[in-house]
Amino acid sequence: MFGRVFWASFKRAMVEYWRYPSSWQKGLFWNPIQFILPFMYGLQALSGDRMGAETTGFVLLGTLCWAWLNNAMWDATGLLQREFHTGTLETVFLTPAPRIAWLLGSVTASSVMHSWVSLFSGVLAFFLFPFPLAPHWAAVIVYALLVFALGWGLAFAASGAMLYLKRANNILSVFVDATLTMSGVTFPIQSAPRWLYSLALVIPFAPAVTGLRQALMGQGDLSGAYPVLLGLAVAACLLLAAGIYLFKLMERQVRKNATLHTY
Amino acid sequence: MQPSIPISQPSGKMAGALRLVSASVSKEWRLYLRYPVDTLMLTLRPLLMFLPFYLMSAYLVKPDTTQSSMFGIYGFGWYSLVSVFFWTALQNVVIAGSSFIYMEVVQGTLESLLVAPTSQASIISANAVFAMGEQSILLLIGYGALAVLTAPAPSLAAWALALLLTLGGLGVAYGLGLVLGGVTLVTKRMDYTFMVVSVLAFLAGPSYSPAVYPLPLRVLAYANPLTYPIDLLRSELLGARPLMDVKVEMIVLAAVTVLSVLAGRWVIARAVGRLRATGRAGVF
């Protein structure tokens, strides 16, 4: 059942991307133009001719990661919002289909699509702002998977909040933007003041983004990174479990209050 | 229970339009009061857009002192804060019309709206008017911080000019919002609105002057109607170096304000007419 629902949800989302090309074409605009290029040109405006290649790579990869996570999170909550507004959420939830499989199918499709968009954005930005790229592929894959898992955990938690609050775009936006901003996407967290550094340490995205960035720039491989990877794997499992738990809890609550399809 | 949008007893076109705007603003306001936490978070969003730029300048790269005229007398922090607050306000006004139409589409009520004996342009405008009021409050917070925390604070004349430029910028955003609302009416999707808004935001220079762009992008920045209110505001309020002569920019701003509002009303009328003629209001 889980696999069938997952596949049906995944296929539906992919068919929609195919049917409405503007949905992914938007990503091609939104990703580089909203998240990456403003920071790259901002960096250029700030540093004049002093913009080093390493700094360029630092900001470019950080903002690329941010764009990917941001899109994945909004696509998951967007699915619930759309079903709610079209009045079909209760119908979907009355079926015996596992909700997590339904959500995961859609989030996976979104992740696949946004990975291609991110790759395109990254290549485009790399040609405009070259920097030393020397990926340790094994480390890149491991860190990318951990970033995926963390992002999905956050997406499930956000979906639960959306289910309960109904009108929560601004709350979620502030939460996600704050989380990612404090993850050191545009600045090295080690050089930040102690309070900011401490805050970044408790956000699991910070070491994941840093690790992925270092792996792509050839500054770190898997050897010696096991303690960080283990910590991240535990954090990813915990965040995924917490996200799924929160989603189920909110679903139970709205069923109890009979507010699944109403405000 | 009183209907939210009075569609009967019209006593003149203007009075009817005003009643629509008033009802729509009142409805949106009640929604804000109904969800106070969401409303509070709305005020924090521009700050969250500003922080990544600020943290980048504070902990990654110190501003180049030879570029100081680009950021004005208060430095990059204030330059970026005012820019981001103003840009967020304009962006939210541009998006308001499209969001309203998209909600009507997904709720399946677009056709009912289009067959109602009322002005569709006024209803869409009413949402943009509310967004303008809401965003003005956010702007006041940003301006208030600038007035209280900087020394010497901008002069009264600079504030008066800033107010005028804010109104001009909101006018351009209102017109563009109507144009994109018309596009959303026809396509039934907000994707094109997001695409256009992201391009306009980038070209206007969200936290820096478009002067840093290479020539092809700079040419596009000059063609962007939102470049002018933002550039003029930064120049008049913060003493930043403008893109071109201030008087020329002001004339361009006045022209694009009028043109965008006229274009917006024309596009909405065409889009409504097209949907009615083709019978595609309720279907994709």
Side-chain angles (χ1 to χ4, degrees):
Chain A
M1 172 71 103
F2 191 94
R4 283 217 315 272
V5 172
F6 171 86
W7 178 242
S9 177
F10 176 82
K11 210 166 70 176
R12 172 191 181 270
M14 292 309 275
V15 167
E16 197 178 330
Y17 288 134
W18 182 258
R19 168 71 181 82
Y20 297 102
S22 63
S23 56
W24 57 266
Q25 286 164 356
K26 176 188 74 182
L28 292 178
F29 275 78
W30 193 254
N31 244 23
I33 293 176
Q34 185 84 0
F35 291 102
I36 303 168
L37 293 182
F39 289 98
M40 301 314 297
Y41 282 108
L43 189 63
Q44 199 170 326
L46 278 167
S47 55
D49 297 330
R50 299 174 299 136
M51 192 165 109
E54 207 161 292
T55 314
T56 304
F58 182 94
V59 176
L60 198 154
L61 295 174
T63 49
L64 195 62
C65 237
W66 184 17
W68 183 87
L69 280 166
N70 194 68
N71 288 325
M73 205 286 308
W74 279 112
D75 276 1
T77 51
L79 173 73
L80 278 171
Q81 260 190 331
R82 202 177 44 189
E83 296 289 343
F84 176 74
H85 289 306
T86 48
T88 46
L89 186 65
E90 189 153 35
T91 316
V92 171
F93 276 42
L94 280 174
T95 66
R99 324 286 181 247
I100 296 300
W102 176 68
L103 262 184
L104 199 59
S106 180
V107 174
T108 307
S110 150
S111 297
V112 169
M113 199 272 287
H114 285 302
S115 298
W116 283 110
V117 169
S118 295
L119 190 66
F120 168 81
S121 312
V123 171
L124 175 78
F126 179 75
F127 279 110
L128 286 172
F129 301 96
F131 66 94
L133 189 68
H136 288 291
W137 286 112
V140 170
I141 292 167
V142 171
Y143 277 113
L145 284 175
L146 286 167
V147 171
F148 267 68
L150 288 165
W152 285 347
L154 193 65
F156 288 140
S159 303
M162 188 65 84
L163 202 60
Y164 186 74
L165 297 167
K166 306 294 192 292
R167 188 180 159 108
N169 276 1
N170 291 319
I171 298 172
L172 290 176
S173 178
V174 165
F175 174 69
V176 171
D177 285 353
T179 303
L180 295 175
T181 302
M182 299 298 173
S183 301
V185 287
T186 55
F187 67 102
I189 45 173
Q190 295 86 348
S191 61
R194 184 178 281 272
W195 68 269
L196 193 53
Y197 183 56
S198 315
L199 198 63
L201 280 183
V202 297
I203 300 171
F205 286 104
V209 171
T210 306
L212 184 60
R213 185 192 275 135
Q214 285 175 343
L216 278 162
M217 291 177 76
Q219 294 166 348
D221 53 16
L222 288 178
S223 60
Y226 293 115
V228 177
L229 288 172
L230 185 68
L232 278 174
V234 172
C237 290
L238 285 176
L239 195 59
L240 264 176
I244 293 170
Y245 174 76
L246 188 72
F247 181 79
K248 289 186 167 174
L249 185 74
M250 292 300 122
E251 188 197 343
R252 270 204 303 276
Q253 197 59 41
V254 290
R255 278 178 185 281
K256 207 168 122 188
N257 297 344
T259 54
L260 188 55
H261 74 297
T262 55
Y263 280 91
Chain B
M1 196 175 178
Q2 274 195 324
S4 296
I5 298 174
I7 55 171
S8 57
Q9 307 114 30
S11 57
K13 227 174 171 181
M14 182 56 88
L18 280 176
R19 275 213 302 278
L20 269 174
V21 172
S22 147
S24 185
V25 167
S26 146
K27 183 200 86 179
E28 291 293 330
W29 179 245
R30 269 175 279 172
L31 265 174
Y32 270 53
L33 295 180
R34 170 84 177 76
Y35 298 96
V37 181
D38 199 56
T39 306
L40 177 70
M41 292 297 146
L42 178 79
T43 57
L44 292 177
R45 283 185 74 176
L47 265 184
L48 265 299
M49 283 183 74
F50 153 75
L51 266 180
F53 286 108
Y54 177 73
L55 293 170
M56 185 168 79
S57 76
Y59 304 121
L60 183 65
V61 54
K62 298 289 173 207
D64 180 0
T65 45
T66 60
Q67 300 271 357
S68 58
S69 63
M70 179 186 284
F71 302 126
I73 52 174
Y74 302 113
F76 178 75
W78 286 107
Y79 180 92
S80 157
L81 183 90
V82 169
S83 304
V84 169
F85 265 67
F86 192 42
W87 167 245
T88 311
L90 299 186
Q91 182 174 251
N92 286 338
V93 174
V94 174
I95 288 173
S98 297
S99 321
F100 168 71
I101 290 164
Y102 184 67
M103 282 299 285
E104 296 291 326
V105 172
V106 293
Q107 286 169 179
T109 46
L110 181 67
E111 191 154 28
S112 315
L113 177 76
L114 292 185
V115 297
T118 186
S119 157
Q120 283 74 30
S122 298
I123 298 180
I124 296 161
S125 296
N127 278 272
V129 167
F130 180 78
M132 284 162 84
E134 163 206 89
Q135 296 306 317
S136 302
I137 295 171
L138 293 189
L139 272 176
L140 282 179
I141 295 171
Y143 291 165
L146 182 73
V148 173
L149 300 174
T150 55
S155 65
L156 270 179
W159 282 117
L161 202 52
L163 184 69
L164 198 67
L165 292 168
T166 304
L167 289 176
L170 290 174
V172 178
Y174 166 81
L176 288 175
L178 289 185
V179 172
L180 292 171
V183 174
T184 309
L185 259 179
V186 175
T187 60
K188 313 272 189 351
R189 296 185 70 89
M190 275 191 77
D191 300 328
Y192 297 103
T193 299
F194 284 128
M195 281 188 212
V196 174
V197 167
S198 61
V199 173
L200 295 183
F202 169 62
L203 289 175
S207 73
Y208 47 85
S209 167
V212 298
Y213 288 145
L215 188 63
L217 282 179
R218 230 178 311 149
V219 171
L220 290 174
Y222 283 122
N224 174 15
L226 290 177
T227 298
Y228 300 98
I230 296 179
D231 192 57
L232 280 169
L233 186 83
R234 294 192 284 223
S235 156
E236 296 307 308
L237 201 57
L238 308 172
R241 189 177 54 214
L243 265 181
M244 50 181 167
D245 185 67
V246 170
K247 280 180 193 154
V248 176
E249 282 201 39
M250 285 201 177
I251 293 168
V252 175
L253 174 61
V256 292
T257 307
V258 175
L259 281 177
S260 58
V261 172
L262 289 177
R265 294 195 78 84
W266 183 78
V267 170
I268 286 283
R270 290 272 299 177
V272 170
R274 190 171 154 184
L275 284 185
R276 281 181 174 160
T278 54
R280 289 195 311 115
V283 292
F284 278 86

